[in-house]
Amino acid sequence: MSDQQSHSQGEAKPERGKVEGVGRDKIKGVFSTQTVEKVGTGTTQRKAIQKTYWFCEEGKEDLIQVQPLNKNYVPSGPSRAVAKEEFLGKFNPEPEFYVQTVYPKMRELENTIKRGEDHREAGRVYSAELEFKEATTVDEENVRANFGLGLTYLDRGDAVKANDIFERLVNLEAAFDQEHKHLFNDFGINLRKNKMLEQALEYYHRAERLEGHDENLFHNIARVYYELGDLEHCVEYLKRSLQLNPGMEEGKLFMEYLKKNGYVTVLPDGTEKIDPNPDGIVGSGKGKGDGKPIDVDGGAKF
């Protein structure tokens, strides 16, 4: 966040922790940067110092991840990497501000999200909704809070509100980070199960552009295409999934189902024939087996 008021915090060191295998402290805490801006015109013009606060944490290869604080004093929005040498020259530690204000706010937000997740897991969807809404009020772009709120709406079958959350999440790159993959997977599967198939497909393809190669992601894209009746793309993505992981049990079951019910036929020359309507009944959406769609989702990665 930015303001015109400076904080006199002394020269205490920011929170630090040991860098594994190196034996030195790593950077973590709240820091500030300052810019000088001209205010007014003519004889009334003066210079004002604009201070911006950041939550900063040292990562790998001497890069510092910096994320701005929002008006509620919690890290929010996209982070960026700053080279350590540049960071040390431009960023000033604000240890007291971190300890007295920012850290308690971060803990409070974390506890609110955790209560929401506990409520949702126990089936208390309205209590979960209240907690997640409170969390998104503090940090509108918080990934866990948005996922939690979206999943809660999907649990309730509220497609309209779930779609609002989908629109928000699909534009948040942080939603597709490694640390959020299990949440991402749950949300995509629940979109599909709530028959929000186009949204689920857009969601998964957004992940595909960022992730590139993941057998569980490809498997779940195949599931959506299957339910949309697009067997060619279904088989394409299922094969891509099994190429990455030939031993994936869910993928093998899915392919066996498609072959058993006549959607995929192996010809004498070894080629495969794809038939989206093996019974010859246009629009039936059923195979010539028991007619029950397979219900096997990909693993927790996606």
Side-chain angles (χ1 to χ4, degrees):
M1 67 170 295
S2 300
D3 60 27
Q4 298 290 340
Q5 181 181 5
S6 65
H7 290 261
S8 177
Q9 303 298 341
E11 295 299 321
K13 292 183 180 180
E15 178 185 348
R16 297 177 184 272
K18 293 293 184 183
V19 176
E20 186 176 354
V22 178
R24 65 172 178 82
D25 288 341
K26 69 176 181 179
I27 296 167
K28 181 179 179 180
V30 172
F31 290 71
S32 65
T33 55
Q34 293 185 355
T35 56
V36 177
E37 297 182 352
K38 292 181 179 180
V39 179
T41 58
T43 57
T44 62
Q45 189 178 83
R46 59 186 177 84
K47 292 181 180 180
I49 296 177
Q50 184 82 6
K51 181 177 280 192
T52 303
Y53 295 98
W54 310 80
F55 180 75
C56 307
E57 187 166 10
E58 185 173 356
K60 298 179 180 178
E61 300 177 353
D62 282 340
L63 292 175
I64 314 299
Q65 292 295 324
V66 303
Q67 186 178 22
L69 302 186
N70 67 12
K71 64 181 181 180
N72 295 307
Y73 302 108
V74 296
S76 181
S79 63
R80 61 185 176 91
V82 177
K84 190 172 183 180
E85 184 176 351
E86 178 187 352
F87 177 86
L88 294 174
K90 294 182 178 179
F91 288 75
N92 301 306
E94 302 281 357
E96 292 178 20
F97 185 41
Y98 175 58
V99 171
Q100 295 175 6
T101 303
V102 177
Y103 181 70
K105 292 287 186 181
M106 291 171 64
R107 285 293 302 274
E108 184 180 345
L109 177 61
E110 170 68 23
N111 290 336
T112 300
I113 295 171
K114 182 64 168 61
R115 287 195 301 270
E117 291 171 340
D118 290 344
H119 283 312
R120 180 178 172 266
E121 187 174 339
R124 299 186 292 267
V125 291
Y126 290 100
S127 295
E129 180 184 357
L130 290 174
E131 298 290 356
F132 289 132
K133 277 186 172 179
E134 181 179 339
T136 55
T137 299
V138 175
D139 180 8
E140 186 179 11
E141 296 187 29
N142 186 280
V143 173
R144 279 176 60 199
N146 276 288
F147 270 127
L149 190 56
L151 286 165
T152 299
Y153 289 144
L154 289 170
D155 290 343
R156 284 168 40 186
D158 192 334
V160 174
K161 290 184 178 179
N163 190 66
D164 289 341
I165 301 299
F166 157 77
E167 294 289 351
R168 185 184 300 173
L169 282 169
V170 81
N171 290 307
L172 289 178
E173 284 199 18
F176 303 92
D177 286 347
Q178 291 285 120
E179 62 180 302
H180 301 305
K181 277 193 173 182
H182 66 291
L183 294 170
F184 175 93
N185 189 55
D186 287 347
F187 194 65
I189 290 171
N190 277 277
L191 283 172
R192 178 182 59 76
K193 288 183 175 179
N194 279 268
K195 303 303 178 184
M196 299 173 68
L197 301 178
E198 296 295 341
Q199 290 94 328
L201 194 59
E202 180 182 350
Y203 192 62
Y204 282 136
H205 280 315
R206 169 83 164 125
E208 183 183 8
R209 291 195 297 272
L210 294 171
E211 175 69 15
H213 301 283
D214 186 285
E215 67 269 27
N216 297 291
L217 173 60
F218 291 158
H219 177 94
N220 288 337
I221 292 175
R223 285 298 317 274
V224 178
Y225 274 124
Y226 169 80
E227 297 204 18
L228 284 168
D230 187 339
L231 265 293
E232 287 194 12
H233 280 105
C234 168
V235 173
E236 174 193 341
Y237 275 92
L238 185 55
K239 285 183 175 180
R240 290 172 67 180
S241 173
L242 288 169
Q243 284 173 356
L244 289 173
N245 183 3
M248 183 179 180
E249 193 63 28
E250 299 93 337
K252 291 192 293 184
L253 288 172
F254 196 174
M255 185 61 79
E256 287 174 11
Y257 171 86
L258 294 176
K259 290 179 178 178
K260 176 184 176 182
N261 287 276
Y263 294 113
V264 176
T265 303
V266 180
L267 300 177
D269 62 0
T271 60
E272 292 179 346
K273 176 185 176 184
I274 298 172
D275 186 355
N277 188 33
D279 281 341
I281 305 173
V282 176
S284 69
K286 304 290 185 182
K288 58 187 179 183
D290 57 16
K292 296 178 182 178
I294 189 169
D295 193 19
V296 179
D297 290 297
K301 286 185 180 180
F302 262 106

Coordinates of all heavy atoms in Angstrom, one line a residue, residues 216-301:
N216 N -2.5 -35.3 -15.1 CA -3.8 -35.2 -14.5 C -4.6 -34.1 -15.1 O -5.8 -34.2 -15.3 CB -3.6 -35.0 -13.0 CG -2.9 -36.1 -12.3 OD1 -3.5 -37.2 -12.2 ND2 -1.7 -35.9 -11.9
L217 N -3.9 -33.0 -15.5 CA -4.6 -31.9 -16.2 C -5.2 -32.4 -17.6 O -6.3 -32.2 -17.9 CB -3.6 -30.8 -16.5 CG -4.1 -29.6 -17.3 CD1 -5.3 -29.0 -16.7 CD2 -3.0 -28.6 -17.5
F218 N -4.3 -33.1 -18.3 CA -4.8 -33.7 -19.6 C -6.0 -34.6 -19.4 O -6.9 -34.7 -20.2 CB -3.7 -34.3 -20.4 CG -2.6 -33.4 -20.9 CD1 -1.3 -33.8 -21.1 CD2 -2.9 -32.0 -21.0 CE1 -0.3 -33.0 -21.6 CE2 -1.9 -31.2 -21.5 CZ -0.6 -31.6 -21.8
H219 N -5.9 -35.5 -18.4 CA -6.9 -36.4 -18.1 C -8.3 -35.7 -17.9 O -9.3 -36.1 -18.4 CB -6.6 -37.3 -16.9 CG -7.6 -38.2 -16.5 ND1 -7.7 -39.5 -16.9 CD2 -8.7 -38.1 -15.7 CE1 -8.7 -40.1 -16.4 NE2 -9.4 -39.3 -15.6
N220 N -8.2 -34.6 -17.1 CA -9.4 -33.9 -16.7 C -10.0 -33.1 -17.9 O -11.2 -33.0 -18.0 CB -9.2 -33.0 -15.5 CG -9.0 -33.8 -14.2 OD1 -9.5 -35.0 -14.1 ND2 -8.4 -33.3 -13.2
I221 N -9.1 -32.7 -18.8 CA -9.6 -32.0 -20.0 C -10.3 -33.1 -20.9 O -11.4 -32.8 -21.4 CB -8.4 -31.4 -20.8 CG1 -7.8 -30.2 -20.0 CG2 -8.9 -31.0 -22.2 CD1 -6.6 -29.6 -20.7
A222 N -9.8 -34.3 -20.9 CA -10.4 -35.4 -21.7 C -11.8 -35.6 -21.1 O -12.8 -35.9 -21.8 CB -9.6 -36.6 -21.6
R223 N -12.0 -35.6 -19.8 CA -13.3 -35.8 -19.1 C -14.3 -34.8 -19.6 O -15.4 -35.1 -19.8 CB -13.1 -35.8 -17.6 CG -12.5 -37.0 -16.9 CD -13.3 -38.2 -17.1 NE -14.7 -38.1 -17.0 CZ -15.4 -38.1 -15.8 NH1 -14.7 -38.4 -14.7 NH2 -16.7 -38.0 -15.8
V224 N -13.9 -33.5 -19.6 CA -14.8 -32.5 -20.0 C -15.2 -32.6 -21.5 O -16.4 -32.5 -21.8 CB -14.2 -31.1 -19.8 CG1 -15.2 -30.0 -20.2 CG2 -13.8 -30.9 -18.3
Y225 N -14.2 -32.9 -22.3 CA -14.6 -33.1 -23.8 C -15.5 -34.3 -23.9 O -16.4 -34.3 -24.8 CB -13.3 -33.4 -24.6 CG -12.6 -32.1 -25.0 CD1 -11.3 -31.8 -24.7 CD2 -13.3 -31.1 -25.8 CE1 -10.7 -30.6 -25.2 CE2 -12.7 -30.0 -26.2 CZ -11.4 -29.7 -25.9 OH -10.8 -28.5 -26.3
Y226 N -15.3 -35.4 -23.1 CA -16.2 -36.5 -23.2 C -17.6 -36.1 -22.9 O -18.6 -36.5 -23.6 CB -15.8 -37.6 -22.2 CG -16.8 -38.7 -22.0 CD1 -16.9 -39.7 -22.9 CD2 -17.6 -38.7 -20.9 CE1 -17.8 -40.7 -22.7 CE2 -18.6 -39.7 -20.7 CZ -18.6 -40.7 -21.6 OH -19.6 -41.7 -21.4
E227 N -17.8 -35.3 -21.8 CA -19.2 -34.9 -21.4 C -19.8 -33.9 -22.4 O -21.0 -33.7 -22.5 CB -19.2 -34.4 -20.0 CG -18.8 -35.4 -19.0 CD -19.3 -35.2 -17.6 OE1 -20.3 -34.4 -17.5 OE2 -18.8 -35.8 -16.7
L228 N -18.9 -33.2 -23.2 CA -19.4 -32.3 -24.2 C -19.7 -33.0 -25.5 O -20.2 -32.5 -26.5 CB -18.3 -31.2 -24.5 CG -18.2 -30.1 -23.5 CD1 -17.0 -29.2 -23.8 CD2 -19.5 -29.2 -23.5
G229 N -19.4 -34.3 -25.6 CA -19.6 -35.1 -26.7 C -18.5 -35.0 -27.8 O -18.7 -35.4 -28.9
D230 N -17.4 -34.4 -27.5 CA -16.3 -34.2 -28.4 C -15.3 -35.3 -28.2 O -14.3 -35.2 -27.5 CB -15.7 -32.8 -28.2 CG -14.6 -32.5 -29.3 OD1 -14.1 -33.4 -29.9 OD2 -14.3 -31.3 -29.4
L231 N -15.6 -36.5 -28.9 CA -14.8 -37.6 -28.6 C -13.4 -37.5 -29.2 O -12.4 -38.1 -28.6 CB -15.5 -38.9 -29.2 CG -16.3 -39.7 -28.2 CD1 -15.4 -40.4 -27.1 CD2 -17.4 -38.8 -27.5
E232 N -13.2 -36.8 -30.3 CA -11.9 -36.7 -30.9 C -10.9 -36.0 -30.0 O -9.8 -36.4 -29.7 CB -12.0 -36.0 -32.2 CG -12.6 -36.8 -33.3 CD -12.4 -36.2 -34.7 OE1 -11.5 -35.3 -34.8 OE2 -13.0 -36.7 -35.7
H233 N -11.4 -34.9 -29.4 CA -10.5 -34.1 -28.5 C -10.4 -34.9 -27.1 O -9.3 -34.9 -26.5 CB -11.0 -32.7 -28.2 CG -10.7 -31.8 -29.3 ND1 -11.6 -31.3 -30.2 CD2 -9.5 -31.2 -29.6 CE1 -11.0 -30.4 -31.0 NE2 -9.8 -30.3 -30.7
C234 N -11.4 -35.6 -26.8 CA -11.4 -36.4 -25.6 C -10.2 -37.5 -25.7 O -9.4 -37.6 -24.8 CB -12.7 -37.1 -25.3 SG -12.7 -38.5 -24.1
V235 N -10.2 -38.2 -26.8 CA -9.2 -39.3 -27.0 C -7.8 -38.6 -27.1 O -6.8 -39.2 -26.6 CB -9.6 -40.1 -28.2 CG1 -8.4 -41.1 -28.5 CG2 -10.9 -40.9 -27.9
E236 N -7.8 -37.5 -27.8 CA -6.5 -36.8 -28.0 C -5.8 -36.5 -26.6 O -4.7 -36.8 -26.4 CB -6.7 -35.5 -28.8 CG -5.4 -34.7 -28.9 CD -5.7 -33.2 -29.4 OE1 -6.7 -33.0 -30.0 OE2 -4.8 -32.4 -29.1
Y237 N -6.6 -35.9 -25.7 CA -6.0 -35.5 -24.4 C -5.8 -36.7 -23.5 O -4.9 -36.7 -22.7 CB -6.9 -34.5 -23.7 CG -6.6 -33.1 -24.2 CD1 -7.3 -32.5 -25.3 CD2 -5.6 -32.3 -23.6 CE1 -7.0 -31.2 -25.7 CE2 -5.3 -31.0 -24.0 CZ -6.0 -30.5 -25.1 OH -5.6 -29.2 -25.5
L238 N -6.7 -37.7 -23.7 CA -6.5 -38.9 -22.9 C -5.2 -39.6 -23.3 O -4.4 -40.1 -22.4 CB -7.7 -39.9 -23.0 CG -7.6 -41.1 -22.2 CD1 -7.5 -40.8 -20.7 CD2 -8.9 -42.0 -22.4
K239 N -4.9 -39.7 -24.6 CA -3.6 -40.2 -25.0 C -2.4 -39.4 -24.6 O -1.4 -40.0 -24.2 CB -3.6 -40.3 -26.6 CG -4.5 -41.4 -27.1 CD -4.4 -41.5 -28.6 CE -5.1 -42.6 -29.2 NZ -5.0 -42.7 -30.7
R240 N -2.6 -38.1 -24.6 CA -1.5 -37.3 -24.1 C -1.2 -37.5 -22.6 O -0.1 -37.5 -22.2 CB -1.8 -35.8 -24.3 CG -1.8 -35.4 -25.8 CD -2.3 -34.0 -26.0 NE -1.5 -33.0 -25.5 CZ -1.7 -31.7 -25.5 NH1 -2.8 -31.2 -26.2 NH2 -0.9 -30.8 -25.0
S241 N -2.3 -37.7 -21.9 CA -2.1 -38.0 -20.4 C -1.4 -39.4 -20.2 O -0.5 -39.5 -19.4 CB -3.5 -38.1 -19.8 OG -3.4 -38.6 -18.5
L242 N -1.8 -40.4 -21.0 CA -1.2 -41.7 -20.9 C 0.2 -41.8 -21.4 O 1.1 -42.6 -21.0 CB -2.1 -42.8 -21.5 CG -3.4 -43.1 -20.8 CD1 -4.3 -43.9 -21.6 CD2 -3.1 -43.7 -19.5
Q243 N 0.5 -40.9 -22.4 CA 1.9 -40.8 -22.8 C 2.9 -40.3 -21.7 O 4.0 -40.7 -21.6 CB 2.0 -39.9 -24.1 CG 1.5 -40.5 -25.4 CD 1.4 -39.6 -26.5 OE1 1.7 -38.4 -26.3 NE2 1.1 -40.1 -27.7
L244 N 2.4 -39.3 -21.0 CA 3.2 -38.8 -19.9 C 3.2 -39.8 -18.7 O 4.3 -39.9 -18.0 CB 2.5 -37.5 -19.4 CG 2.7 -36.3 -20.3 CD1 1.9 -35.1 -19.8 CD2 4.2 -35.9 -20.5
N245 N 2.2 -40.6 -18.5 CA 2.2 -41.5 -17.4 C 1.4 -42.8 -17.8 O 0.2 -42.9 -17.6 CB 1.5 -40.9 -16.2 CG 1.6 -41.8 -15.0 OD1 2.1 -42.9 -15.0 ND2 1.0 -41.4 -13.9
P246 N 2.1 -43.7 -18.5 CA 1.4 -44.9 -19.0 C 0.8 -45.8 -17.9 O -0.1 -46.5 -18.2 CB 2.5 -45.7 -19.7 CG 3.6 -44.7 -20.0 CD 3.5 -43.7 -18.9
G247 N 1.2 -45.6 -16.7 CA 0.7 -46.4 -15.6 C -0.4 -45.7 -14.8 O -0.9 -46.3 -13.8
M248 N -0.9 -44.6 -15.3 CA -2.0 -43.9 -14.6 C -3.3 -44.7 -14.6 O -3.9 -44.9 -15.7 CB -2.2 -42.5 -15.3 CG -3.2 -41.6 -14.6 SD -3.4 -40.0 -15.4 CE -4.7 -39.3 -14.4
E249 N -3.7 -45.1 -13.5 CA -4.8 -46.0 -13.4 C -6.1 -45.4 -13.9 O -6.9 -46.1 -14.6 CB -5.0 -46.5 -11.9 CG -6.0 -47.7 -11.7 CD -5.5 -48.9 -12.4 OE1 -4.2 -49.1 -12.6 OE2 -6.3 -49.8 -12.8
E250 N -6.4 -44.1 -13.5 CA -7.6 -43.5 -14.0 C -7.6 -43.4 -15.5 O -8.7 -43.6 -16.1 CB -7.7 -42.1 -13.4 CG -7.7 -42.0 -11.9 CD -6.3 -41.8 -11.3 OE1 -5.3 -42.2 -11.9 OE2 -6.3 -41.3 -10.1
G251 N -6.5 -43.1 -16.1 CA -6.5 -43.0 -17.6 C -6.7 -44.4 -18.2 O -7.4 -44.4 -19.2
K252 N -6.1 -45.4 -17.7 CA -6.3 -46.7 -18.3 C -7.7 -47.2 -18.1 O -8.3 -47.7 -19.1 CB -5.4 -47.7 -17.6 CG -3.9 -47.5 -17.9 CD -3.0 -48.7 -17.4 CE -3.0 -48.8 -15.9 NZ -2.1 -49.9 -15.4
L253 N -8.4 -46.9 -17.0 CA -9.8 -47.2 -16.9 C -10.7 -46.5 -17.8 O -11.6 -47.0 -18.4 CB -10.2 -46.9 -15.4 CG -9.7 -47.9 -14.3 CD1 -10.1 -47.3 -13.0 CD2 -10.3 -49.3 -14.5
F254 N -10.3 -45.2 -18.0 CA -11.1 -44.3 -19.0 C -11.0 -44.9 -20.4 O -12.0 -45.0 -21.1 CB -10.5 -42.9 -18.9 CG -11.4 -41.9 -19.5 CD1 -11.1 -40.5 -19.3 CD2 -12.6 -42.2 -20.2 CE1 -11.9 -39.5 -19.9 CE2 -13.4 -41.2 -20.7 CZ -13.1 -39.9 -20.6
M255 N -9.8 -45.2 -20.8 CA -9.6 -45.8 -22.2 C -10.3 -47.1 -22.3 O -10.9 -47.4 -23.4 CB -8.1 -45.9 -22.5 CG -7.8 -46.3 -23.9 SD -8.4 -45.1 -25.2 CE -7.1 -43.9 -25.1
E256 N -10.2 -48.0 -21.3 CA -10.9 -49.2 -21.4 C -12.4 -49.0 -21.5 O -13.1 -49.8 -22.3 CB -10.6 -50.1 -20.1 CG -9.2 -50.6 -20.0 CD -8.9 -51.3 -18.7 OE1 -9.9 -51.5 -17.9 OE2 -7.8 -51.6 -18.4
Y257 N -12.9 -48.1 -20.8 CA -14.4 -47.8 -20.9 C -14.7 -47.3 -22.3 O -15.7 -47.8 -22.9 CB -14.7 -46.7 -19.9 CG -16.1 -46.1 -20.1 CD1 -17.2 -46.7 -19.5 CD2 -16.4 -45.0 -20.9 CE1 -18.5 -46.3 -19.6 CE2 -17.7 -44.5 -21.0 CZ -18.7 -45.2 -20.4 OH -20.0 -44.7 -20.6
L258 N -13.9 -46.4 -22.9 CA -14.2 -46.0 -24.3 C -14.2 -47.1 -25.3 O -15.0 -47.2 -26.2 CB -13.2 -44.9 -24.7 CG -13.3 -43.6 -23.9 CD1 -12.1 -42.6 -24.3 CD2 -14.6 -42.9 -24.0
K259 N -13.2 -48.0 -25.1 CA -13.1 -49.2 -26.0 C -14.3 -50.2 -25.8 O -14.9 -50.7 -26.8 CB -11.8 -49.9 -25.9 CG -10.6 -49.0 -26.4 CD -9.3 -49.7 -26.2 CE -8.1 -48.9 -26.8 NZ -6.8 -49.5 -26.5
K260 N -14.6 -50.4 -24.6 CA -15.6 -51.4 -24.2 C -17.0 -51.0 -24.8 O -17.8 -51.8 -25.2 CB -15.7 -51.6 -22.7 CG -16.8 -52.5 -22.2 CD -16.9 -52.5 -20.7 CE -18.1 -53.4 -20.3 NZ -18.2 -53.4 -18.8
N261 N -17.2 -49.6 -24.7 CA -18.5 -49.1 -25.1 C -18.6 -48.7 -26.6 O -19.6 -48.1 -27.0 CB -18.9 -48.0 -24.2 CG -19.3 -48.5 -22.8 OD1 -20.5 -48.9 -22.6 ND2 -18.4 -48.5 -21.9
G262 N -17.5 -49.0 -27.4 CA -17.5 -48.7 -28.8 C -17.2 -47.3 -29.2 O -17.3 -47.0 -30.4
Y263 N -16.7 -46.5 -28.3 CA -16.3 -45.1 -28.7 C -15.0 -45.2 -29.5 O -14.7 -44.3 -30.3 CB -16.2 -44.2 -27.5 CG -17.5 -43.9 -26.8 CD1 -17.8 -44.4 -25.5 CD2 -18.5 -43.2 -27.4 CE1 -19.0 -44.2 -24.9 CE2 -19.7 -42.9 -26.8 CZ -19.9 -43.4 -25.5 OH -21.1 -43.1 -24.9
V264 N -14.1 -46.1 -29.1 CA -12.8 -46.3 -29.7 C -12.7 -47.7 -30.1 O -12.9 -48.6 -29.3 CB -11.7 -45.9 -28.8 CG1 -10.3 -46.2 -29.4 CG2 -11.8 -44.4 -28.4
T265 N -12.5 -48.0 -31.4 CA -12.3 -49.3 -32.0 C -10.9 -49.4 -32.6 O -10.5 -48.6 -33.4 CB -13.4 -49.6 -33.0 OG1 -14.7 -49.4 -32.5 CG2 -13.2 -51.0 -33.5
V266 N -10.2 -50.5 -32.2 CA -8.9 -50.8 -32.8 C -9.1 -51.6 -34.0 O -9.6 -52.7 -34.0 CB -8.0 -51.5 -31.8 CG1 -6.6 -51.7 -32.4 CG2 -7.8 -50.6 -30.5
L267 N -8.7 -51.1 -35.2 CA -8.9 -51.8 -36.5 C -7.8 -52.8 -36.7 O -6.7 -52.8 -36.0 CB -8.9 -50.8 -37.6 CG -10.0 -49.7 -37.5 CD1 -9.8 -48.7 -38.7 CD2 -11.4 -50.3 -37.6
P268 N -7.9 -53.8 -37.6 CA -6.9 -54.8 -37.8 C -5.5 -54.3 -38.2 O -4.5 -54.9 -37.8 CB -7.5 -55.6 -39.1 CG -9.0 -55.4 -38.9 CD -9.2 -54.0 -38.4
D269 N -5.5 -53.1 -38.8 CA -4.1 -52.6 -39.1 C -3.5 -51.8 -37.9 O -2.4 -51.2 -38.1 CB -4.2 -51.7 -40.3 CG -5.1 -50.4 -40.1 OD1 -5.7 -50.3 -39.0 OD2 -5.3 -49.6 -41.0
G270 N -4.2 -51.8 -36.8 CA -3.6 -51.2 -35.6 C -4.1 -49.7 -35.4 O -3.8 -49.2 -34.3
T271 N -4.7 -49.2 -36.4 CA -5.2 -47.8 -36.2 C -6.5 -47.8 -35.4 O -7.1 -48.9 -35.2 CB -5.5 -47.1 -37.6 OG1 -6.5 -47.9 -38.3 CG2 -4.2 -47.1 -38.4
E272 N -6.8 -46.6 -34.9 CA -8.0 -46.5 -34.1 C -9.1 -45.7 -34.8 O -8.8 -44.7 -35.4 CB -7.7 -45.9 -32.8 CG -6.8 -46.7 -31.9 CD -6.4 -46.0 -30.6 OE1 -6.6 -44.8 -30.5 OE2 -5.9 -46.7 -29.7
K273 N -10.3 -46.2 -34.6 CA -11.5 -45.5 -35.2 C -12.3 -44.9 -34.0 O -12.6 -45.6 -33.0 CB -12.4 -46.5 -36.0 CG -13.7 -45.8 -36.5 CD -14.5 -46.9 -37.1 CE -15.9 -46.3 -37.6 NZ -16.8 -47.3 -38.1
I274 N -12.6 -43.6 -34.1 CA -13.4 -43.0 -33.0 C -14.8 -42.8 -33.5 O -15.0 -42.2 -34.6 CB -12.7 -41.6 -32.7 CG1 -11.3 -41.8 -32.1 CG2 -13.6 -40.9 -31.6 CD1 -10.5 -40.5 -31.9
D275 N -15.7 -43.3 -32.7 CA -17.2 -43.2 -33.1 C -17.9 -42.6 -31.9 O -18.1 -43.2 -30.9 CB -17.7 -44.6 -33.3 CG -19.1 -44.5 -33.9 OD1 -19.7 -43.4 -33.9 OD2 -19.7 -45.6 -34.2
P276 N -18.3 -41.3 -32.0 CA -19.0 -40.6 -30.9 C -20.4 -41.1 -30.7 O -21.1 -40.8 -29.7 CB -19.0 -39.1 -31.4 CG -18.9 -39.2 -32.9 CD -18.1 -40.4 -33.2
N277 N -20.9 -41.9 -31.7 CA -22.3 -42.4 -31.6 C -22.4 -43.9 -32.0 O -22.9 -44.2 -33.0 CB -23.2 -41.6 -32.5 CG -24.7 -41.9 -32.3 OD1 -25.1 -42.2 -31.2 ND2 -25.5 -41.8 -33.4
P278 N -21.7 -44.8 -31.2 CA -21.6 -46.2 -31.6 C -22.9 -46.9 -31.8 O -23.0 -47.9 -32.5 CB -20.7 -46.8 -30.5 CG -20.9 -45.9 -29.3 CD -21.1 -44.5 -29.9
D279 N -24.0 -46.5 -31.1 CA -25.3 -47.2 -31.2 C -26.0 -46.7 -32.5 O -27.1 -47.2 -32.8 CB -26.1 -46.9 -30.0 CG -25.7 -47.8 -28.8 OD1 -25.0 -48.8 -29.1 OD2 -26.0 -47.5 -27.7
G280 N -25.5 -45.6 -33.1 CA -26.2 -45.1 -34.3 C -27.5 -44.3 -33.9 O -28.3 -44.1 -34.7
I281 N -27.6 -43.9 -32.7 CA -28.7 -43.1 -32.2 C -28.2 -41.7 -32.0 O -27.5 -41.4 -31.0 CB -29.3 -43.6 -30.9 CG1 -29.7 -45.1 -31.1 CG2 -30.5 -42.8 -30.5 CD1 -30.2 -45.8 -29.8
V282 N -28.5 -40.8 -32.9 CA -27.9 -39.4 -32.8 C -28.4 -38.7 -31.6 O -29.6 -38.8 -31.3 CB -28.4 -38.6 -34.1 CG1 -27.9 -37.2 -34.0 CG2 -27.8 -39.3 -35.3
G283 N -27.4 -38.2 -30.9 CA -27.8 -37.4 -29.7 C -28.0 -38.2 -28.4 O -28.4 -37.7 -27.4
S284 N -27.8 -39.6 -28.5 CA -28.0 -40.4 -27.4 C -27.0 -40.1 -26.3 O -27.3 -40.2 -25.1 CB -28.0 -41.9 -27.8 OG -26.6 -42.3 -28.1
G285 N -25.8 -39.9 -26.7 CA -24.7 -39.6 -25.7 C -24.3 -40.9 -25.0 O -23.7 -40.8 -23.9
K286 N -24.8 -42.0 -25.4 CA -24.5 -43.3 -24.7 C -23.7 -44.2 -25.6 O -23.8 -44.2 -26.8 CB -25.8 -44.0 -24.3 CG -26.7 -43.1 -23.4 CD -26.2 -42.9 -22.0 CE -27.2 -42.2 -21.2 NZ -26.7 -41.9 -19.8
G287 N -22.9 -45.1 -25.0 CA -22.2 -46.1 -25.7 C -23.1 -47.3 -25.8 O -24.2 -47.3 -25.4
K288 N -22.5 -48.4 -26.3 CA -23.3 -49.6 -26.5 C -23.0 -50.6 -25.3 O -23.3 -51.8 -25.4 CB -23.0 -50.3 -27.8 CG -21.6 -50.6 -28.1 CD -21.4 -51.1 -29.5 CE -20.0 -51.5 -29.8 NZ -19.8 -51.9 -31.2
G289 N -22.4 -50.1 -24.2 CA -22.3 -50.9 -23.0 C -23.4 -50.6 -22.1 O -24.6 -50.6 -22.5
D290 N -23.1 -50.4 -20.8 CA -24.2 -50.2 -19.9 C -24.7 -48.8 -19.9 O -25.7 -48.5 -19.2 CB -23.7 -50.5 -18.4 CG -22.5 -49.7 -18.0 OD1 -22.2 -48.7 -18.7 OD2 -21.9 -50.1 -17.0
G291 N -24.1 -47.9 -20.7 CA -24.6 -46.5 -20.9 C -24.3 -45.6 -19.7 O -24.7 -44.4 -19.8
K292 N -23.6 -46.1 -18.7 CA -23.2 -45.2 -17.6 C -21.9 -44.5 -17.9 O -20.9 -45.2 -18.2 CB -23.1 -46.0 -16.3 CG -24.4 -46.7 -15.9 CD -24.2 -47.5 -14.6 CE -25.5 -48.2 -14.2 NZ -25.4 -49.0 -13.0
P293 N -21.9 -43.2 -17.8 CA -20.6 -42.5 -18.1 C -19.6 -42.8 -17.0 O -19.9 -43.0 -15.8 CB -21.0 -41.0 -18.0 CG -22.2 -41.0 -17.2 CD -22.9 -42.2 -17.4
I294 N -18.3 -42.9 -17.4 CA -17.3 -43.2 -16.5 C -17.1 -42.1 -15.5 O -17.3 -40.9 -15.9 CB -16.0 -43.5 -17.2 CG1 -14.9 -44.0 -16.3 CG2 -15.5 -42.3 -17.9 CD1 -13.7 -44.6 -17.0
D295 N -16.8 -42.4 -14.3 CA -16.7 -41.3 -13.2 C -15.3 -41.4 -12.6 O -15.2 -41.8 -11.4 CB -17.8 -41.4 -12.2 CG -17.9 -40.2 -11.3 OD1 -17.3 -39.1 -11.7 OD2 -18.4 -40.3 -10.2
V296 N -14.3 -41.2 -13.3 CA -12.9 -41.3 -12.8 C -12.2 -40.0 -13.1 O -12.0 -39.6 -14.3 CB -12.1 -42.5 -13.5 CG1 -10.7 -42.5 -12.9 CG2 -12.8 -43.8 -13.2
D297 N -11.8 -39.3 -12.1 CA -11.1 -38.0 -12.3 C -9.6 -38.2 -12.1 O -9.2 -39.2 -11.5 CB -11.6 -37.0 -11.3 CG -13.0 -36.6 -11.6 OD1 -13.2 -36.0 -12.7 OD2 -14.0 -36.8 -10.8
G298 N -8.9 -37.2 -12.5 CA -7.4 -37.2 -12.4 C -7.0 -37.0 -10.9 O -7.8 -36.7 -10.1
G299 N -5.8 -37.2 -10.7 CA -5.2 -37.1 -9.3 C -5.2 -35.7 -8.8 O -5.7 -34.7 -9.4
A300 N -4.6 -35.5 -7.7 CA -4.6 -34.2 -6.9 C -3.7 -33.1 -7.6 O -3.8 -32.0 -7.2 CB -4.2 -34.5 -5.5
K301 N -2.8 -33.5 -8.5 CA -2.0 -32.4 -9.1 C -2.9 -31.4 -9.8 O -2.6 -30.2 -9.8 CB -1.0 -33.0 -10.0 CG 0.2 -33.7 -9.3 CD 1.2 -34.2 -10.3 CE 2.4 -34.9 -9.6 NZ 3.4 -35.3 -10.5

